[in-house]
Amino acid sequence: MEGIEHRTLNVNGINMHVAEKGKGPVVLFLHGFPELWYTWRHQIVALADQGYRAVAPDLRGYGDTDAPKEVTSYTYFHVVGDLVALIESLGVESVFLVAHDWGAMIGWYLCYFRPDLVKAYVCLSVPFRPRHPKMKPIPTMRAFLGDDYYMCRFQEPGMEDEMAKYGSEAVLKKILIDRKPGPPCLPKENPFGISSDDKLPLWLSQDDLNYYSTKFDQKGFTGGLNYYRALDLNWELTAPWTGVKVNVPVKFVVGDLDVVYTTPGMKEYVHGGGFKKDVPMLDDVVVLEGAAHFINQERAQETNSHIYEFITKF
């Protein structure tokens, strides 16, 4: 990753590792689970070459950024607070935002809480979902998707120990190369088992996997899991925002095999008017045929083009 600079900034009471390259308007990239700044390696180089300052942090709990132990330190307010302080430290008034998976969730709430800081948002894989005042997230997921649904399984205190039995590399490989549509489940027996036939795809090299594995060997998965464990707390804390719209220009890009997009009810929400109602400035929805969840790596050039085409409008 030639030319990418790394530094550590103190933001919102934690030390945050940031990777960046280029000069110009800031494009802020937010990664998901189980990833790092590194998931944006292709986008950082491409956007820097096109005249932008690409900035990709390790979010709290990940990589070389601090990882508070308490679940209560992983609410939307904490993580958005980190980003507000990061944007201020960059010396700019606002940024272009690009985010994926859990980063996309955090991105929606950055737009929700501080729309003044976001010029435009390119959201990958996870659409906005409005707060339902009578449906607490985890009990609702258990009722509709079962106890083995991965977000439900991640609530279990011993999940880190279960992951440790398999090792970081096996867990990461299982998650990153999975292309099965529909809501992911983790059965009680052999949840992260992989066979010798499970080869790495062309977009993920052994060196890439080694980089991820080394960082998760050092940090563990607790920080990332705590985002899921704070879902019900977030639901409680965001009650005052029930019914509020997201008022930022948005482009949404998703693969047609994506596990979120193929979860029951999601396509209807995205294409049936609900998404546009909640995000009135939704400009475009792009569905990439034959692509799964990790589209910024799997379909890097297409993703780069979609980002560039959208942010050049502003």
Side-chain angles (χ1 to χ4, degrees):
M1 298 292 104
E2 186 177 348
I4 296 178
E5 298 179 353
H6 298 265
R7 56 184 175 137
T8 300
L9 301 173
N10 188 266
V11 298
N12 194 29
I14 66 168
N15 294 310
M16 173 175 275
H17 166 250
V18 177
E20 61 181 304
K21 183 178 183 181
K23 295 182 178 179
V26 172
V27 182
L28 178 61
F29 294 93
L30 308 180
H31 69 82
F33 177 89
E35 298 179 280
L36 305 162
W37 74 269
Y38 189 80
T39 189
W40 301 110
R41 56 197 180 279
H42 306 296
Q43 286 73 41
I44 292 172
V45 173
L47 271 295
D49 288 346
Q50 290 167 320
Y52 292 89
R53 182 183 176 189
V55 178
D58 285 334
L59 296 178
R60 69 164 55 204
Y62 288 92
D64 294 320
T65 293
D66 286 350
K69 293 182 179 180
E70 302 81 8
V71 171
T72 53
S73 295
Y74 290 82
T75 70
Y76 296 143
F77 296 95
H78 289 84
V79 188
V80 170
D82 298 344
L83 299 177
V84 171
L86 172 60
I87 292 168
E88 181 180 7
S89 75
L90 296 174
V92 297
E93 295 184 355
S94 58
V95 300
F96 293 110
L97 181 65
V98 181
H100 171 259
D101 190 80
W102 251 108
M105 288 285 290
I106 300 302
W108 287 119
Y109 280 87
L110 175 59
C111 294
Y112 220 33
F113 298 152
R114 294 298 304 271
D116 58 306
L117 297 180
V118 183
K119 299 176 187 176
Y121 179 24
V122 179
C123 177
L124 309 182
S125 298
V126 180
F128 178 73
R129 292 312 306 266
R131 179 185 185 276
H132 194 295
K134 295 183 179 180
M135 297 176 71
K136 205 169 189 177
I138 298 302
T140 301
M141 291 175 193
R142 287 194 193 281
F144 285 95
L145 300 171
D147 290 339
D148 285 348
Y149 181 57
Y150 78 106
M151 291 195 193
C152 299
R153 290 276 273 125
F154 284 174
Q155 306 303 310
E156 299 170 13
M159 180 52 68
E160 294 91 332
D161 295 334
E162 195 161 356
M163 289 175 159
K165 292 176 184 176
Y166 290 87
S168 296
E169 181 174 332
V171 170
L172 291 162
K173 183 178 180 181
K174 172 71 173 179
I175 296 172
L176 290 171
I177 71 172
D178 186 16
R179 299 180 63 80
K180 182 182 178 182
C185 290
L186 296 174
K188 294 291 191 293
E189 292 192 13
N190 204 24
F192 298 104
I194 54 177
S195 75
S196 57
D197 296 330
D198 291 330
K199 306 297 183 186
L200 292 178
L202 293 176
W203 55 266
L204 185 70
S205 71
Q206 186 61 48
D207 286 344
D208 295 331
L209 187 58
N210 290 346
Y211 184 88
Y212 284 120
S213 301
T214 298
K215 295 300 182 182
F216 279 94
D217 282 341
Q218 294 169 354
K219 185 74 76 178
F221 288 93
T222 300
L225 294 174
N226 280 345
Y227 285 74
Y228 296 93
R229 292 166 177 167
L231 278 168
D232 282 350
L233 176 59
N234 279 318
W235 179 83
E236 295 173 7
L237 295 174
T238 54
W241 284 268
T242 302
V244 175
K245 311 295 184 186
V246 177
N247 288 303
V248 167
V250 172
K251 181 176 187 176
F252 179 65
V253 186
V254 67
D256 67 350
L257 302 177
D258 188 286
V259 293
V260 178
Y261 184 64
T262 54
T263 293
M266 197 64 71
K267 292 180 184 179
E268 292 79 4
Y269 173 74
V270 169
H271 301 291
F275 195 11
K276 180 69 173 179
K277 179 182 177 182
D278 294 328
V279 186
M281 299 174 74
L282 178 65
D283 184 81
D284 194 12
V285 172
V286 178
V287 181
L288 301 183
E289 186 175 347
H293 185 63
F294 297 96
I295 52 174
N296 55 308
Q297 298 178 84
E298 179 184 346
R299 303 281 274 272
Q301 291 187 342
E302 286 176 78
T303 301
N304 298 345
S305 296
H306 283 300
I307 295 168
Y308 182 73
E309 287 168 6
F310 189 59
I311 66 177
T312 52
K313 295 181 178 181
F314 303 93

